[in-house]
Amino acid sequence: MLERIRIVLIGTSHPGNIGATARAMHNMGLSDLALVSPRCEPLTSESISRASGADHIVHAARVVETLEEAVADCTLAVGASARSRTLPWPMITPRALGERLPTELAGPESRVALVFGREDSGLSNAELQRCHAHVHIPTNPDFSSLNLAAAVQVLAYECRLAWLATAGAEAEQEEEPHQPLASHEELEHYFAHLERTLIAIGFHDPALPRQLMARLRRFTLRARPERMELNILRGMLTATEKCAAGRPSADQAVAAPRADQDGDGKA
């Protein structure tokens, strides 16, 4: 389970924080680290020093340009956030996150990403909207700022507790047939398709968005669709696009010749 939990750091500005994060991960048995557009050189003497023996995680860290690349194969992305947002999003505690992990990672293709923002400004609203849920560490409200590696340590600890609680249980239980959840990449393709279709039928005006797509994102991510369910939704969108363009759907195309034949027969 721990092998399929990824720590994602966005825009990290200090190599020491990358090394300290690697140490926190290795302490709790995590090893998958992704760095999104780091604002520093990840592999330095300071990052290796702060890793304190977990430098193999720093060496193996994957560096990408966008959050979408970092979580494309993940079925659950959770963003660490300490601020309230204009549009409420599902918010959970670190303990609740840990309790969800055994279920979230039950399928062999499932993967979870824990996303952390910049040291100075955290995650942007756009980045948070690409997460299924937000996790908030309930710190002292009079002194709530956490060091990046400390925040990673808290969530990694909860991940390990969840793993310890379920270790060995999977071998004793007969698993039910599993339907894979849609990946982050598949969901992003769906959202792009949905927006394009809503514009085509005149339901969505990009000039006056009124948070429509953000609300539809929230609704869909809360539903946690399976891959097959998402394929059905995209098939519906494709049929809608054809109707909007004045083209008959597959059923209409088949039904039309039969209607003509019936008419000729009656005449």
Side-chain angles (χ1 to χ4, degrees):
M1 186 179 84
L2 298 178
E3 293 176 354
R4 289 182 284 127
I5 299 174
R6 178 176 302 152
I7 299 297
V8 179
L9 305 184
I10 298 180
T12 311
S13 61
H14 198 289
N17 285 331
I18 295 175
T21 292
R23 179 178 182 177
M25 292 172 60
H26 196 32
N27 283 154
M28 298 299 149
L30 306 183
S31 59
D32 190 352
L33 175 62
L35 306 174
V36 178
S37 297
R39 295 178 287 175
C40 64
E41 175 58 44
L43 198 57
T44 67
S45 59
E46 184 168 7
S47 64
I48 297 302
S49 175
R50 292 285 300 279
S52 298
D55 49 288
H56 61 284
I57 294 179
V58 180
H59 281 279
R62 188 162 61 101
V63 179
V64 297
E65 291 297 318
T66 66
L67 174 59
E68 286 75 11
E69 293 176 81
V71 301
D73 61 338
C74 295
T75 50
L76 176 70
V78 180
S81 174
R83 300 178 303 187
S84 60
R85 303 289 167 167
T86 55
L87 181 62
W89 219 258
M91 181 74 76
I92 56 178
T93 64
R95 185 60 48 87
L97 170 63
E99 291 171 351
R100 283 179 58 172
L101 289 178
T103 301
E104 294 291 346
L105 293 168
E109 296 180 2
S110 301
R111 190 172 295 275
V112 170
L114 306 181
V115 185
F116 298 83
R118 302 150 193 84
E119 294 99 328
D120 53 354
S121 59
L123 295 169
S124 68
N125 285 339
E127 290 161 349
L128 283 168
Q129 286 185 10
R130 278 159 176 73
C131 297
H132 294 86
H134 303 163
V135 59
H136 173 66
I137 300 173
T139 54
N140 176 6
D142 296 327
F143 192 66
S144 60
S145 178
L146 274 176
N147 172 269
L148 176 59
V152 172
Q153 186 77 79
V154 170
L155 297 192
Y157 170 72
E158 294 295 340
C159 293
R160 186 163 188 83
L161 284 186
W163 174 73
L164 290 171
T166 58
E170 294 179 358
E172 299 174 0
Q173 297 177 357
E174 183 177 349
E175 294 186 4
E176 297 181 0
H178 171 73
Q179 296 297 327
L181 295 174
S183 71
H184 192 279
E185 183 176 30
E186 290 165 338
L187 284 165
E188 288 303 314
H189 287 313
Y190 166 73
F191 289 131
H193 194 174
L194 176 62
E195 183 169 20
R196 184 172 68 245
T197 303
L198 294 179
I199 292 172
I201 64 175
F203 188 81
H204 173 47
D205 182 0
L208 296 170
R210 300 173 190 244
Q211 293 189 324
L212 173 64
M213 293 309 301
R215 293 182 183 278
L216 290 174
R217 267 182 177 276
R218 181 177 61 177
F219 168 76
T220 305
L221 293 177
R222 189 170 63 233
R224 309 301 311 286
E226 297 172 356
R227 181 174 295 157
M228 183 177 293
E229 292 170 335
L230 203 68
N231 288 338
I232 293 172
L233 290 174
R234 293 203 64 182
M236 293 167 60
L237 292 177
T238 298
T240 302
E241 286 180 312
K242 289 180 180 180
C243 290
R247 291 176 288 174
S249 66
D251 290 341
Q252 290 173 324
V254 172
R258 288 200 298 266
D260 292 342
Q261 291 167 5
D262 289 345
D264 292 340
K266 291 177 181 178

